[in-house]
Amino acid sequence: MANGILLYAEITRQGYIHTVFFELANKARELSQKLNGAPIYAVLITKPGMLDDYKEGFTYSFIDKVYIYERTDNYSTEIYSNIIVDLVKEIEPEIILIGATNQGRDLAPRISSALKTGLTADCIGLDINEKGLLAATRPTFGGQLMATILCKTIPQMATVRPKVFKPAFENTYTNTEFIYKNSDYNNTNVTLLEFIQGIEDEKNELDSAEIIVAGGKGMKGEEGFKLLKEFADLLGGTVGASRGAVDMGYAPHRIQIGQTGKTVTPKLYIACGISGAIQHTVGITGSEHIMCINNDPNAPIFEISDTGIVADVFEVVPKLIELLKKR
Amino acid sequence: MKIALCVKQVPDTSDIKWTENNTMQREGVESIINPYDIYAIEAALKFKKNYNAEVTVFTMGPLQAVDMLKNIIALGIDRGVVISDRKFAGADTYATGITLSAAIKKELPDFDIILCGQFAIDGDTGQTGPCIANLLNIPQLTFIKDISEYNENSITASRFLDDGIELVKVKCPALLCMLKSDFEPSRALINGIIKAQNSDIKILTFEDLGLNPEDVGLKGSPTYVSKAFRPDIKHSGEKHYCLENNSGAQIIYDKMKEIGVFNG
């Protein structure tokens, strides 16, 4: 009978284990406890001789067994899915979790389809139900509706949105077993010709930002966003924008937050001149603390804000800049 | 060169109203072409222009999708196939992949390229494309924004990923999932509209595809929705009226200090 939870340990282009793996690991431990201590496995496809760099990452995140495939080439959808499909057939896990990164979302549907099983995309909640099945919750309709999805087939698969679960970093050493596997798989259908490193732009910063200062149509123009940039810089934060502001051309699309933009999870989110349409707020509700400044007391943004200021943003923000400079 | 273009009709998600008990109010919600698919159509039109490709557009859904396909043919696409049957209803991404790949195999077995949108705005899964690629045993390229070259039966394209852009080359037949781009999509030409009005859209039903009834629709879907709910996003916020007294900045400053944004 299928047993255990298999996690995909994605290696980033810089050669680190992707942080979403540690988030999966922590969640997997919680799920495992509800499954009578089902074992937690990881699959690692890596450049040869790198294991020592990664060992601690596994031993301190409750992984019982790591299956290692050493390869000199880059990520390949077909090779990686073939490897994982073969491993799944061998170890028969009941659950497979993969980070919903670009790579994860490319890879996971290929695996689930080959295994003729179900896959729930981009989950933000995972639990084990009373029947011992994986209950995976995900946003649909651009975040306007949450759906909890079950799977009739085994293994039950899900991709999991990064930065939703807390990562596992506890002083609990696991006696992890490391198992090298035959990595002789071939495929020459796709060739990577070139990689152009993304500039460290606001979009990337938004993913890991602790503080986000976001502007809406109420910022009235690019000048308004320059003000927000100054404010954000003083806080060590990053600037984001609502779709309204992007559509008006006040801010570039790459910093758009909400349904058609990014989902963010900062410690502090300050919404300036944003009315708070659902399409925007679905992208920010994971924030720890939300503040807003808006001169319309009936703007929906107040309903989701912890601290709401009914005032003119062009009065409040310059004064805040002043206060922060004096600090 | 032969291209299969896969599109989906979706509700306009910016226009959805919800009832008290969290069901979607379907009346009055407009059906639109999935916005990502518009860029798959654009890519197909480019292949048509540059390489004289023959493009067949496929969609799975209710018969009203015929009108959507006529609009796509008006843009210059050659022919359309609607895969429609009650038995296909309730399909998840896997069952949709089974059905679409069977339809492509039947109608266009010698395809060189399959084009899809990266995501559909209603489901947001991005899974159907890779699923079709797997079922047809062909390579896939996801997150594509630009297709730069096609020669010797290979495509060179750019994948727009979170950490940068990959320039990749893939051997055809292959499936490509297209992201949205910044350019303005094509508008129908007059002669395209006339052609579309006269075009016959082929309808494929369950009988035509020779699939097992257990493999399609709700029955063939490994996943199912056990519960749907509206997210509870209300915070118990304090609202400070500061239009008159200019105290807003100080309140925010003090609150930031209180929650530990900075010390001192």
Side-chain angles (χ1 to χ4, degrees), chain A residues 13-14 75 77-78 101-102 105-107 109-110 112-114 116-122 133 137-153 159 188-198 203-204 207 211 231 235 259-260 262 268 270 278-279 281 285 287-293 295 297-298 302-312 315-316 319-320 323-324 327, chain B residues 11 13-16 18 22 24 26 36 92-94 118-119 121-128 130-135 137-143 156 159-171 180 182 218-253 255-256 259 261-264:
Chain A
R13 226 178 283 268
Q14 289 75 28
Y75 169 74
T77 313
E78 287 163 275
T101 58
N102 288 148
R105 296 192 75 164
D106 182 72
L107 178 64
R110 194 92 196 186
S112 62
S113 167
K116 299 182 170 46
T117 194
L119 170 64
T120 304
D122 203 24
L133 296 174
T137 299
R138 65 180 305 264
T140 59
F141 293 101
Q144 297 179 70
L145 190 71
M146 294 293 161
T148 300
I149 292 172
L150 300 178
C151 183
K152 305 190 269 211
T153 46
T159 56
T188 52
N189 283 329
V190 180
T191 322
L192 174 63
L193 302 175
E194 194 187 348
F195 173 68
I196 305 146
Q197 180 82 44
K203 183 178 169 180
N204 294 337
D207 282 328
I211 298 173
F231 179 29
L235 289 167
Q259 179 183 349
T260 46
K262 300 234 82 163
L268 173 61
I270 311 175
I278 181 90
Q279 288 78 9
T281 53
T285 47
S287 308
E288 263 176 46
H289 195 98
I290 298 175
M291 296 183 175
C292 74
I293 310 162
N295 59 10
N298 299 317
F302 284 102
E303 291 175 20
I304 64 151
S305 295
D306 303 283
T307 308
I309 304 292
V310 184
D312 179 359
E315 185 266 316
V316 177
K319 207 159 166 200
L320 267 165
L323 284 168
L324 289 167
R327 182 162 66 91
Chain B
T13 52
S14 60
D15 189 35
I16 294 177
W18 301 90
N22 295 336
M24 211 172 96
R26 286 185 186 269
Y36 286 87
D92 73 355
T93 55
Y94 179 70
Q118 174 65 46
F119 297 108
I121 58 164
D122 52 351
D124 275 331
T125 69
Q127 291 176 179
T128 306
C131 187
I132 295 170
N134 178 72
L135 291 164
N137 198 21
I138 56 169
Q140 74 195 39
L141 294 181
T142 50
F143 303 101
T156 305
R159 302 183 69 211
F160 277 59
L161 307 176
D162 282 341
D163 62 344
I165 302 164
E166 277 185 352
L167 189 66
V168 287
K169 192 170 176 175
V170 64
K171 278 184 202 159
K180 285 199 261 186
D182 303 326
L218 197 60
K219 272 190 191 167
S221 298
T223 62
Y224 61 99
V225 178
S226 76
K227 191 172 75 173
F229 54 98
R230 297 295 311 278
D232 178 21
I233 53 170
K234 300 241 193 282
H235 283 216
S236 53
E238 320 156 47
K239 206 187 278 185
H240 305 270
Y241 288 85
C242 311
L243 279 167
E244 312 297 326
N245 58 23
N246 291 351
S247 61
Q250 193 65 48
I251 292 170
I252 287 184
Y253 186 84
K255 193 77 199 178
M256 286 201 274
I259 63 173
V261 172
F262 49 76
N263 308 310

